[in-house]
Structure formats: structure tokens, C-alpha cells
Amino acid sequence: MMDNVIIGQYIPGSSTIHRMDPRAKLIAVFVYVIIVFLANNWLSYAFLGIFTIGTVLFSRVPLPFILKGLKPILWIILFTMILHLFMTKEGPVLLDFGWTAIHEGGVVQGVFIALRLLFLILLTSLLTLTTTPIDITDGIESLLAPLKRVKFPVHEFALMMSISLRFIPTLLQETEKIMKAQSARGAEFSSGPIKERVKAFVPLLVPLFISAFKRAEDLALAMEARGYRGGEGRTKLRLLKWKGIDTFALIMVGVLIIVLFLLRS
Amino acid sequence: MVVRNERLRMLILCSMFAAITAIFAQVEVPLPIVPISGQTLAVGLAATILGSRYGAISMVCYVALGAVGLPVFAEMKAGFSVLFGPTGGYIFGFILTALITGFILEKTSFTLKMGMIANTVGMIVTLLMGTIQLKLVLDFSWSEALAVGAYPFIVVGLIKAFLASWIGITVRRRLVQANMLQLKQDIAA
């Protein structure tokens, strides 16, 4: 889990999509999540499909990684398709079982929902596959910056994410250590009556939370000793750069919106 | 214990709880028939220990961590694809759940009885939010969405609500005893 936590799902690469500004990618994905619901006939779904699959191919992320992201959602897609197949009672009857019948509307509806989910998952997972968590955090911080005017603590928010990220491996180690320590004292986590097992978790959780509180205290003290006083006037090590390709990508998304509006019935 | 910068201290503590939630989400308490995923348990714990405001902030941090692609959701899932997928509503629901659970506890008292009531209400909020997104993304009718997304989880949810309140209140009391947690309610009590 440790390696995974640091790099997330990022697959290193040098495609144009990898090199895009995270802000442009974030905006594009957010817009896409909304407009995917605009498609409502074969033509608009086909266009959306070409756009989505084109983008995925363009990113040159190896296919196995993309399929890995789709695997957990496969059952939900299948289940939804079957449910719509039997539940939607529109159009002429295609198959009649007596107790239930499959209508043409059901088939169309089932396929459309499956496609919508597929496209949604493909494009949104592309964001985390081609961008490092740090870049996405920087992007979010930069995009939310205007909210500073309404007193939303954008800087603190990004700081919190970095701190959590830093402490997941530490607290994970701590949990394992406490578990071993309590096992050595005779605690049973995996056998025995249910009530005893649940009770065994209390002496595991109490030291964990106390340790988290202590670490928070230490870190706060250390940060203050080094003169931390919030985001005001802080400079950055990594600066985000908006390039021509980012503007171009957003224009493409704009084109997609217009075409979908024209094609939808 | 002299507290100099309460704001910074609480901010770091919220990050810690987000990290703890991420770890809990990967753990399953091995019970027969219904294995209890730690994710919802951690939400209840965060709300019970930190209270409404900070519990909710830690959940916002947790959701954001997952959104940027860190495998912090149950079964090491992550990314916008989970959040905007069919089951994302449950995860968004954690924020509101922590807010409401903590609010009920703060307005009443941090006792086992109130903890159970607050966590049960919290569970209903999580299930409702999850069901709403399930309905929207999968284009279900309300009865279909409820049958798939809410009813099967009610019994498990009740068990989890009980566990979260029991462990949460116990841990909270120990923390107060150990002088680690000093909130207004405890000073009064």
C-alpha cells in the first residue's frame, strides 16, 4: 500500500495529455462529467465515444492500466443494463417470456446507460492516470484561489492534503506496531466470540488516536517554531504553466459541448 | 498544556483523521456474514471524537485525497471515476454524515445513548446520499435505487452505527482522561 499511496495511480509518460497543465485537465474533466448526460441518441453517443476513446488513445497509457480501472465497474454496468432491459416498458416488444417481456426501449436504454458509465469512467480515470497527485493538488489549489475572497482557506486545504499524505504511511506503521504489541499481550483480533473481538479493537484504537493527537501537537509546534503563519506571502517550489495546448484542449471541450447540443434529440 | 495556535493544531488533527480514515477503509473487521469495512466506522469515529465542524473538515480532506488519485477509498480505489461513478454518493455523503452526527452530539451530550442515535441518523444520511447518486447516474427509479442502494445495508448500517458510537465514545473518554482532548463540553462535564 505504501508505494501506491505516494504515487497514486499515476503512470509516467510523455504524451501531450501528460504534459498538459493540471488545471486544464481538471476543468475539462469537470465539464465532461456534466456534458456526458447530454447525449441521448445513437449519433450523440457515437460522437461522445469517438471523442472519449480518441483522448484515451492519445494519452498513450498502456491498455492494461485502463482495463484495470474498468474492472470494478463492470458488474455494475452489467447489472444496470439487465435492470433497464426488463424494467423499461417502451416501444415494440422484442422478446416475450409471458411473465415479462423485453421492449425495444429497454434495450436502447440499457445500452445507453452502459455506454455513459463506460465513457464517464474512462475519461475520469485518465485524469489520475496521467497526472501526479501533487500536480492535481496544486491544480485544485490554483483553481480554488478565487475563493480566498470569500474567506475559503484554500492554502490550508492544500496543506491538509499534503499532511494527510505524509502521515498515511506513518500511521499505518503505527497501527501495525500497536496490533503486534496488543497481540503480544494476548489480544485476539481474528478469532473468539464476536463481542470479545470487537472489544479487542478498543485497546488498538485508543493508542492510535492518542498517537495521532500527539503527532499533531508536535507538528504544530515544529511548524510554528519555523515561523509558519499561513499561506499569506508564501512562495512555491513548483509553478504551474498554462500553455497553448491547454487552451486548445478547452476549445475542443467547447466544440464537444456545441456538437452534443446540436446532435441531441 | 498551553495551546498556542488552536487553528493550526486542529487543522493538522483533521488531516490525521483523514489519514486514519484512509487506513481504516482498507481494513475489514472479520465478522461472520457481514464483514464491517472500516470506512463508515472511521466516519462515525471522526464525528464522535472531533465533533461536527472538524469531523466534516477531515472528511472533505479525505474525499479530496481520493479525488486526486490516491488509493484511499475502500478496496484501494481512487479518482474522479469513483466519486462521479454510481457509488460516489456514499463517499460524498460522509461529509454530510460527519457534519450531522457531530452536530447532534454537540447539541446534546457525548454519551453512549446519544452517540447511537447520532450515528444511526448519520448512517441514514450516508445511505440516502448514496442512493440519490445511484439513481441519477444509473437512471433508476426511486424504488429501484432504494432496493439496490439502501435497504440491503440497513441492518449492517445499524451494527456499524452501534460500533462507531461505542468505540467512539470509549476512545473519546480515554482521550479526555489522558488530557489529549480539551473541548468545552468536556470541561463542563
Side-chain angles (χ1 to χ4, degrees), chain A residues 7 10-11 16 30 46 48-49 80 87 89 91 101 112 114 128 130 140 142 215 249:
Chain A
I7 56 160
Y10 179 63
I11 309 294
T16 314
F30 270 117
L48 198 64
T80 315
M87 290 305 194
K89 304 265 179 245
F112 278 176
T128 42
T130 62
I140 291 179
S142 166
R215 277 178 196 282

Side-chain angles (χ1 to χ4, degrees), chain A residues 1 4-9 26 29-30 33 37 72-73 76 79-80 83-84 87 109 113 116-117 120-121 124-125 127-128 131-133 136-137 140 153 156-157 159-161 163-165 167-168 171-172 175 189-190 194-195 197-199 201-203 205-206 208-210 212-217 219-221 223-224 228, chain B residues 1-9 11-20 22-24 26-32 41 45-46 49-50 57-58 60-61 64-72 75-82 84-87 134 136-140 144 148 163 166-167 170-171 174-175 178 180-181:
Chain A
M1 181 180 175
N4 268 332
V5 165
I6 307 301
I7 56 160
Q9 300 172 315
L26 277 164
V29 166
F30 270 117
V33 166
F37 289 91
I73 210 81
I76 300 183
F79 177 77
T80 315
L83 204 74
H84 278 287
M87 290 305 194
Q109 187 73 355
I113 301 291
R116 180 200 290 172
L117 265 179
L120 201 66
I121 304 300
T124 45
S125 56
L127 174 71
T128 42
T131 325
T132 59
I136 302 181
T137 312
I140 291 179
E156 273 86 352
F157 188 60
L159 180 76
M160 274 176 66
M161 287 174 67
I163 293 176
S164 303
L165 188 57
F167 276 101
I168 290 175
L171 289 173
L172 196 65
T175 314
F189 296 109
S190 51
I194 293 168
K195 207 178 161 219
R197 259 188 277 170
V198 174
K199 263 189 180 166
F201 274 87
V202 175
L205 295 175
V206 174
L208 181 67
F209 283 115
I210 288 186
F213 272 74
K214 273 191 181 147
R215 277 178 196 282
E217 193 68 42
L219 183 62
L221 211 59
M223 282 170 74
E224 273 170 9
Y228 174 82
Chain B
M1 193 166 63
V2 187
V3 179
R4 271 151 297 239
N5 190 340
E6 188 64 20
R7 185 180 152 84
L8 180 62
R9 188 172 159 268
L11 186 146
I12 296 171
L13 210 52
C14 290
S15 329
M16 294 279 181
F17 269 78
I20 289 177
I23 295 169
F24 273 33
Q26 316 308 328
V27 179
E28 284 207 334
V29 182
L31 291 184
L41 188 69
L45 285 175
I49 296 173
L50 291 180
I57 292 176
S58 70
V60 172
C61 182
L65 279 176
V68 301
L70 301 163
V72 295
E75 292 165 38
M76 311 265 299
K77 283 189 229 158
F80 282 93
S81 53
V82 178
F84 293 110
T87 55
L134 200 69
L136 291 178
V137 175
L138 298 184
D139 221 359
F140 283 167
E144 283 170 347
V148 175
L163 282 178
W166 183 47
I167 297 176
T170 313
V171 170
R174 302 269 174 92
L175 285 171
M180 300 300 296
L181 194 70

Side-chain angles (χ1 to χ4, degrees), chain A residues 92-168:
Chain A
V93 177
L94 294 179
L95 268 172
D96 204 338
F97 296 112
W99 52 279
T100 184
I102 295 180
H103 294 253
E104 196 186 298
V107 177
V108 171
Q109 187 73 355
V111 172
F112 278 176
I113 301 291
L115 282 177
R116 180 200 290 172
L117 265 179
L118 201 69
F119 295 158
L120 201 66
I121 304 300
L122 271 178
L123 208 91
T124 45
S125 56
L126 206 58
L127 174 71
T128 42
L129 284 171
T130 62
T131 325
T132 59
I134 292 175
D135 271 349
I136 302 181
T137 312
D138 282 351
I140 291 179
E141 187 181 354
S142 166
L143 282 177
L144 291 180
L147 287 179
K148 276 179 194 155
R149 293 236 179 92
V150 289
K151 294 270 162 72
F152 182 82
V154 176
H155 163 76
E156 273 86 352
F157 188 60
L159 180 76
M160 274 176 66
M161 287 174 67
S162 323
I163 293 176
S164 303
L165 188 57
R166 157 71 184 76
F167 276 101
I168 290 175

